[in-house]
Amino acid sequence: MLMRMLKSVVRYGYMPFMLLGVNGAAVALAASGASKLWLVGLLLAAIGCSFAAERVLPYEAEWNSPAGDGGRDVAHAGVNELLLLVSVGVIPVLAATVTVADVWPHSWPFVLQVLLAVLVADLGITLTHYASHKIGLLWRFHAVHHSIKRFYGFNGLMKHPLHQTLEMSAGVTPLLLIGLPVDVAVALAVAVAVQLLLQHSNADYRIGALKYVLALNEGHRFHHLKWAGIGDVNFGLFTLAWDHLLGTFSYDPARRFTSEQLGMAARPDYPTAYLAQLAEPFRASGACQAEPTGHQPAVQDAV
């Protein structure tokens, strides 16, 4: 009985708790000028809730067990979370040098300022993500993220730090040009981290029709299909609005994902160790070019 109740809580309450509860707490803390340590604690609590939800109601039970990738994923997450925090710390310096015109709506309620920052950042990050699948040089660095063979919360932070920096720069620079305040940037940084946890979560939560609007795990799994071209869908970080406009939205309710469908078909031997993954984009093999021949199954017949 208790387990059934917990599963129901995760299925229908996990997403609102993370998206509204954790982000709401971050907005309140940032607006009050609270110490950044409180926000770090909030992020750690969110990560703990992510792991707990995945164990109570997993989409694929085997994805909860490390496959020689646990230490690597912790290293990626630690480095990339640190980059997020550092980026917030240098925003005052950047704002003083790159702001073109301070037209930021400072008079708006704080929560609406954060929402505006999320929507603007979503466009820049989504377009950079899209370009990373089309431009060979960018793909070299983005391929690190697509080498995963299990889909769980920490995957969102499993990125090459240079690509993480590029995506965040694309999202934040337009905001800096119009006078992004530091406290809004702090709330945005937390929202990005929470979204990455939700988007790659192994928790089998339900969002109903929102799966066609919000970039969460049900839709993002399609992005990690291993066949070249087939996974070039659902690029959005926060929303799928830009995917609908780009014609890159994809969803098939009959699809069931397994580890055999994830990764990169063209590079099944992609390095798995952390330092090797940092070096791979600079090697000749880092191009990860798809094989010129061979069947690339459609979403429907790749089950």
Side-chain angles (χ1 to χ4, degrees), residues 209-257:
L210 288 176
K211 60 177 167 284
Y212 298 103
V213 180
L214 300 180
L216 296 172
N217 65 355
E218 280 190 79
H220 196 67
R221 292 187 188 109
F222 290 86
H223 182 75
H224 281 271
L225 287 168
K226 68 182 182 181
W227 299 280
I230 302 302
D232 293 341
V233 297
N234 302 350
F235 292 97
L237 174 59
F238 288 101
T239 77
L240 294 168
W242 310 114
D243 286 288
H244 286 292
L245 291 173
L246 290 167
T248 57
F249 173 77
S250 178
Y251 184 76
D252 174 10
R255 159 69 70 180
R256 178 72 192 180
F257 295 84

Side-chain angles (χ1 to χ4, degrees), residues 20-55:
L20 301 177
V22 175
N23 282 328
V27 167
L29 288 169
S32 69
S35 167
K36 303 298 187 296
L37 292 177
W38 283 105
L39 290 163
V40 172
L42 182 64
L43 273 179
L44 292 175
I47 292 170
C49 289
S50 174
F51 277 98
E54 290 174 334
R55 277 146 184 79

Side-chain angles (χ1 to χ4, degrees), residues 128-212:
T128 302
H129 191 180
Y130 177 82
S132 297
H133 281 244
K134 305 298 180 182
I135 300 172
L137 178 61
L138 297 182
W139 173 250
R140 283 176 171 266
F141 294 91
H142 186 49
V144 170
H145 181 63
H146 279 271
S147 67
I148 64 170
K149 296 294 291 182
R150 62 187 182 110
F151 198 91
Y152 75 116
F154 257 17
N155 291 156
L157 291 165
M158 207 204 95
K159 300 181 178 183
H160 196 287
L162 292 180
H163 195 267
Q164 166 85 356
T165 301
L166 177 65
E167 281 191 334
M168 287 305 299
S169 297
V172 173
T173 299
L175 295 167
L176 286 172
L177 293 175
I178 60 174
L180 175 70
V182 175
D183 51 358
V184 176
V186 169
L188 175 61
V190 174
V192 168
V194 169
Q195 186 66 17
L196 290 171
L197 286 170
L198 277 171
Q199 191 177 62
H200 296 81
S201 177
N202 185 33
D204 195 18
Y205 61 83
R206 296 288 188 269
I207 59 173
L210 288 176
K211 60 177 167 284
Y212 298 103

